[in-house]
């Protein structure tokens, strides 16, 4: 599915349009691989002069902090906002629920 996404992004850029990709921020530890580390993405990034920014989704209304990366072949610097909320102000979706399912995303 990710490879297909990259092919679609390439086609969009080739047609002269902008594309963007969001993925949880790479925390630099396993098991949190980033799609931005994939060779296919690196090729896409080089071909279309993509830039990657990091931000926190709480700055856009999310109830959790959720650090995220956004890559685009256009200017996305306006999305570079880090959390400025007081400690403890976010819902924490960490761990597993009673059925063993993940509660959510990195916080």
């Amino acid at each position: 599915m990710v490879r297909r996404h990259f092919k679609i992004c390439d086609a969009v850029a080739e047609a002269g349009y902008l594309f963007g990709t969001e993925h949880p921020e790479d925390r630099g530890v396993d098991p949190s691989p980033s799609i931005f580390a994939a060779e296919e993405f690196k090729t896409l990034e080089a071909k279309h002069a993509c830039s990657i920014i990091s931000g926190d989704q709480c700055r856009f209304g999310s109830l959790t902090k959720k650090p995220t990366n956004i890559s685009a072949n256009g200017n996305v610097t306006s999305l570079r906002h880090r959390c400025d909320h007081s400690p403890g102000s976010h819902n924490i979706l960490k761990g597993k629920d009673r059925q063993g399912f993940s509660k959510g995303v990195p916080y």
Side-chain angles (χ1 to χ4, degrees):
M1 187 179 337
V2 171
R3 287 187 179 124
R4 182 175 295 241
H5 172 77
F6 292 149
K7 287 181 181 180
I8 291 169
C9 291
D10 185 51
V12 167
E14 289 293 323
Y17 296 98
L18 299 176
F19 69 84
T21 301
E22 179 276 337
H23 192 263
E25 186 173 36
D26 185 357
R27 295 180 287 166
V29 295
D30 287 331
S32 298
S34 173
I35 62 171
F36 300 128
E39 287 303 318
E40 292 91 340
F41 175 76
K42 291 177 182 179
T43 300
L44 181 73
E45 180 181 40
K47 182 177 179 182
H48 298 294
C50 298
S51 59
I52 299 175
I53 61 100
S54 298
D56 295 321
Q57 290 189 13
C58 62
R59 295 293 306 275
F60 299 96
S62 174
L63 297 177
T64 61
K65 183 177 177 182
K66 194 180 180 190
T68 193
N69 285 337
I70 299 172
S71 172
N73 64 333
N75 187 344
V76 290
T77 56
S78 64
L79 301 176
R80 183 181 286 146
H81 294 286
R82 286 299 192 181
C83 178
D84 61 356
H85 299 110
S86 60
S89 62
H90 299 101
N91 291 334
I92 297 177
L93 301 176
K94 185 177 181 181
K96 299 193 183 289
D97 65 15
R98 291 180 186 166
Q99 287 98 10
F101 294 108
S102 174
K103 287 185 179 178
V105 298
Y107 64 96

